[in-house]
Amino acid sequence: MKFVSTIAVVLLSNPTFAAEQHQHHTMSPYTEETGRQIKSLSEADIDELMRGGGWGFAKPAELNGYPGPSHLLSMKDEVGLTEEQVGRVQSIFDDMQRRAIQEGQRFVAAERELDAVFKKRSVADSQLPALIDNAEESRSRLRMIHLSAHLEVTAILTPEQIAKYNELRGYRK
Protein backbone atom coordinates (compact mmCIF):
# COMPACT_ATOMS: atom_id res chain seq x y z
CA MET A 1 0.00 0.00 0.00
CA LYS A 2 2.89 2.32 0.83
CA PHE A 3 4.30 1.67 -2.66
CA VAL A 4 1.02 2.77 -4.34
CA SER A 5 0.92 5.91 -2.19
CA THR A 6 4.51 6.73 -3.15
CA ILE A 7 3.71 6.38 -6.88
CA ALA A 8 0.68 8.64 -6.51
CA VAL A 9 2.75 11.30 -4.72
CA VAL A 10 5.47 11.14 -7.39
CA LEU A 11 2.99 11.39 -10.26
CA LEU A 12 0.94 14.19 -8.76
CA SER A 13 4.05 16.19 -7.87
CA ASN A 14 5.15 16.04 -11.52
CA PRO A 15 3.99 19.37 -13.06
CA THR A 16 3.51 17.90 -16.55
CA PHE A 17 1.34 15.05 -15.29
CA ALA A 18 -0.67 17.39 -13.07
CA ALA A 19 -1.22 19.85 -15.94
CA GLU A 20 -2.38 17.04 -18.25
CA GLN A 21 -4.84 15.82 -15.63
CA HIS A 22 -6.18 19.36 -15.14
CA GLN A 23 -6.51 19.92 -18.90
CA HIS A 24 -8.29 16.61 -19.30
CA HIS A 25 -10.98 17.74 -16.89
CA THR A 26 -11.42 21.25 -18.35
CA MET A 27 -11.10 20.58 -22.10
CA SER A 28 -14.48 20.78 -23.81
CA PRO A 29 -15.68 17.84 -25.88
CA TYR A 30 -16.99 20.45 -28.36
CA THR A 31 -13.60 21.89 -29.42
CA GLU A 32 -13.78 20.14 -32.79
CA GLU A 33 -17.15 21.81 -33.48
CA THR A 34 -16.00 25.43 -33.29
CA GLY A 35 -15.40 25.59 -37.04
CA ARG A 36 -18.95 24.59 -37.98
CA GLN A 37 -20.98 27.09 -40.01
CA ILE A 38 -23.91 26.46 -37.62
CA LYS A 39 -22.56 25.36 -34.27
CA SER A 40 -25.55 23.14 -33.37
CA LEU A 41 -25.47 21.22 -36.68
CA SER A 42 -22.69 19.28 -38.38
CA GLU A 43 -22.26 19.43 -42.15
CA ALA A 44 -23.75 15.92 -42.30
CA ASP A 45 -26.75 17.11 -40.27
CA ILE A 46 -27.30 20.03 -42.63
CA ASP A 47 -27.00 17.79 -45.71
CA GLU A 48 -29.47 15.30 -44.23
CA LEU A 49 -32.00 17.99 -43.36
CA MET A 50 -31.68 19.78 -46.71
CA ARG A 51 -32.32 16.57 -48.67
CA GLY A 52 -35.36 15.64 -46.57
CA GLY A 53 -33.63 12.79 -44.76
CA GLY A 54 -35.01 11.32 -41.57
CA TRP A 55 -32.31 12.56 -39.15
CA GLY A 56 -33.59 9.99 -36.65
CA PHE A 57 -36.93 11.77 -36.22
CA ALA A 58 -38.96 8.61 -36.83
CA LYS A 59 -37.14 6.28 -34.42
CA PRO A 60 -40.18 5.96 -32.13
CA ALA A 61 -42.13 4.57 -35.08
CA GLU A 62 -39.34 2.64 -36.80
CA LEU A 63 -38.10 0.86 -33.70
CA ASN A 64 -41.62 0.00 -32.56
CA GLY A 65 -42.69 -1.78 -35.70
CA TYR A 66 -43.99 0.98 -37.99
CA PRO A 67 -42.17 0.68 -41.33
CA GLY A 68 -40.76 3.74 -43.03
CA PRO A 69 -41.53 4.54 -46.66
CA SER A 70 -37.94 4.93 -47.84
CA HIS A 71 -36.74 1.60 -46.44
CA LEU A 72 -39.96 -0.09 -47.47
CA LEU A 73 -39.48 0.96 -51.09
CA SER A 74 -35.93 -0.38 -51.11
CA MET A 75 -37.20 -3.73 -49.78
CA LYS A 76 -40.47 -3.88 -51.73
CA ASP A 77 -39.74 -7.28 -53.29
CA GLU A 78 -38.54 -8.91 -50.08
CA VAL A 79 -41.54 -7.57 -48.16
CA GLY A 80 -43.89 -8.62 -50.95
CA LEU A 81 -45.53 -5.29 -51.77
CA THR A 82 -48.16 -5.33 -54.49
CA GLU A 83 -47.95 -2.85 -57.37
CA GLU A 84 -50.77 -0.86 -55.78
CA GLN A 85 -48.94 -0.77 -52.44
CA VAL A 86 -45.72 0.32 -54.13
CA GLY A 87 -47.60 3.19 -55.80
CA ARG A 88 -49.18 4.28 -52.53
CA VAL A 89 -45.92 4.01 -50.58
CA GLN A 90 -44.11 5.95 -53.31
CA SER A 91 -46.75 8.68 -53.14
CA ILE A 92 -46.44 8.87 -49.34
CA PHE A 93 -42.65 8.97 -49.63
CA ASP A 94 -42.69 11.70 -52.30
CA ASP A 95 -45.04 13.85 -50.23
CA MET A 96 -43.03 13.25 -47.05
CA GLN A 97 -39.75 14.11 -48.76
CA ARG A 98 -41.12 17.25 -50.42
CA ARG A 99 -42.49 18.50 -47.10
CA ALA A 100 -39.36 17.45 -45.19
CA ILE A 101 -37.10 19.32 -47.61
CA GLN A 102 -39.14 22.50 -47.19
CA GLU A 103 -39.26 22.17 -43.42
CA GLY A 104 -35.61 21.10 -43.23
CA GLN A 105 -34.65 24.33 -45.00
CA ARG A 106 -36.70 26.30 -42.48
CA PHE A 107 -35.11 24.44 -39.57
CA VAL A 108 -31.57 25.01 -40.83
CA ALA A 109 -32.38 28.70 -41.41
CA ALA A 110 -33.76 28.99 -37.86
CA GLU A 111 -30.64 27.36 -36.41
CA ARG A 112 -28.47 29.61 -38.58
CA GLU A 113 -30.32 32.69 -37.27
CA LEU A 114 -29.93 31.55 -33.65
CA ASP A 115 -26.24 30.88 -34.19
CA ALA A 116 -25.75 34.26 -35.92
CA VAL A 117 -27.00 36.36 -33.02
CA PHE A 118 -24.64 34.57 -30.67
CA LYS A 119 -21.77 34.87 -33.13
CA LYS A 120 -22.38 38.63 -33.48
CA ARG A 121 -22.77 38.88 -29.71
CA SER A 122 -26.03 40.70 -30.34
CA VAL A 123 -28.47 38.32 -28.69
CA ALA A 124 -30.93 39.90 -26.29
CA ASP A 125 -32.83 38.08 -23.57
CA SER A 126 -36.05 39.40 -25.05
CA GLN A 127 -35.45 37.88 -28.49
CA LEU A 128 -34.09 34.53 -27.36
CA PRO A 129 -37.46 32.82 -26.69
CA ALA A 130 -38.73 33.64 -30.20
CA LEU A 131 -35.52 32.38 -31.83
CA ILE A 132 -35.65 29.13 -29.88
CA ASP A 133 -39.39 28.70 -30.47
CA ASN A 134 -38.89 29.20 -34.20
CA ALA A 135 -36.26 26.45 -34.38
CA GLU A 136 -38.11 24.06 -32.08
CA GLU A 137 -41.45 24.50 -33.84
CA SER A 138 -39.74 23.66 -37.11
CA ARG A 139 -38.06 20.63 -35.53
CA SER A 140 -41.45 19.52 -34.22
CA ARG A 141 -43.00 19.83 -37.68
CA LEU A 142 -40.15 17.74 -39.11
CA ARG A 143 -40.81 14.99 -36.59
CA MET A 144 -44.50 15.08 -37.42
CA ILE A 145 -43.78 14.81 -41.15
CA HIS A 146 -41.58 11.75 -40.69
CA LEU A 147 -43.62 9.99 -38.00
CA SER A 148 -46.91 10.49 -39.82
CA ALA A 149 -45.43 8.91 -42.97
CA HIS A 150 -44.66 5.78 -40.95
CA LEU A 151 -48.27 5.69 -39.77
CA GLU A 152 -49.57 6.12 -43.30
CA VAL A 153 -47.54 3.28 -44.80
CA THR A 154 -48.20 0.95 -41.90
CA ALA A 155 -51.93 1.35 -42.51
CA ILE A 156 -51.62 -0.11 -46.02
CA LEU A 157 -49.52 -3.14 -45.08
CA THR A 158 -50.56 -6.57 -43.94
CA PRO A 159 -49.37 -7.86 -40.57
CA GLU A 160 -47.17 -10.35 -42.45
CA GLN A 161 -45.53 -7.56 -44.46
CA ILE A 162 -44.88 -5.57 -41.30
CA ALA A 163 -43.36 -8.64 -39.64
CA LYS A 164 -41.15 -9.30 -42.68
CA TYR A 165 -40.01 -5.65 -42.76
CA ASN A 166 -39.09 -5.77 -39.07
CA GLU A 167 -37.26 -9.05 -39.56
CA LEU A 168 -35.30 -7.71 -42.55
CA ARG A 169 -34.40 -4.55 -40.64
CA GLY A 170 -33.13 -6.68 -37.76
CA TYR A 171 -35.77 -5.63 -35.23
CA ARG A 172 -37.44 -9.02 -34.91
CA LYS A 173 -36.09 -12.53 -35.32
Side-chain angles (χ1 to χ4, degrees):
M1 188 64 173
K2 186 174 182 173
F3 178 72
V4 172
S5 298
T6 304
I7 290 174
V9 169
V10 169
L11 285 175
L12 292 175
S13 64
N14 180 323
T16 304
F17 180 82
E20 286 175 3
Q21 293 307 303
H22 178 73
Q23 182 180 6
H24 175 72
H25 293 294
T26 59
M27 183 68 74
S28 170
Y30 307 128
T31 56
E32 299 298 317
E33 299 172 10
T34 58
R36 290 179 172 183
Q37 61 174 296
I38 302 171
K39 304 303 185 234
S40 60
L41 300 172
S42 69
E43 291 303 313
D45 293 335
I46 294 169
D47 290 344
E48 175 91 353
L49 290 160
M50 298 301 270
R51 68 173 183 77
W55 208 45
F57 285 126
K59 282 184 182 179
E62 177 75 16
L63 298 177
N64 283 297
Y66 292 80
S70 175
H71 301 299
L72 196 53
L73 289 169
S74 70
M75 301 184 310
K76 63 186 175 194
D77 294 331
E78 296 94 324
V79 173
L81 296 184
T82 66
E83 279 188 42
E84 180 186 344
Q85 286 175 313
V86 170
R88 290 176 68 189
V89 172
Q90 186 67 58
S91 177
I92 292 166
F93 173 76
D94 292 344
D95 183 57
M96 176 199 71
Q97 189 166 45
R98 177 188 54 76
R99 292 171 52 220
I101 287 170
Q102 291 170 348
E103 197 58 54
Q105 291 169 347
R106 285 192 280 273
F107 179 65
V108 170
E111 287 292 325
R112 188 181 314 280
E113 185 178 6
L114 181 61
D115 190 74
V117 296
F118 277 93
K119 187 175 189 172
K120 293 177 191 170
R121 300 190 135 356
S122 64
V123 65
D125 285 343
S126 61
Q127 75 183 124
L128 193 55
L131 290 167
I132 292 170
D133 287 347
N134 187 33
E136 292 308 312
E137 287 169 7
S138 180
R139 181 185 180 100
S140 177
R141 287 188 297 270
L142 276 167
R143 289 194 88 186
M144 185 63 167
I145 289 165
H146 287 284
L147 286 167
S148 64
H150 282 251
L151 285 178
E152 286 182 71
V153 297
T154 300
I156 64 173
L157 301 174
T158 67
E160 294 79 19
Q161 289 170 321
I162 294 168
K164 186 64 174 175
Y165 174 92
N166 287 319
E167 179 187 323
L168 290 168
R169 294 286 286 161
Y171 306 141
R172 308 276 192 282
K173 300 289 178 200

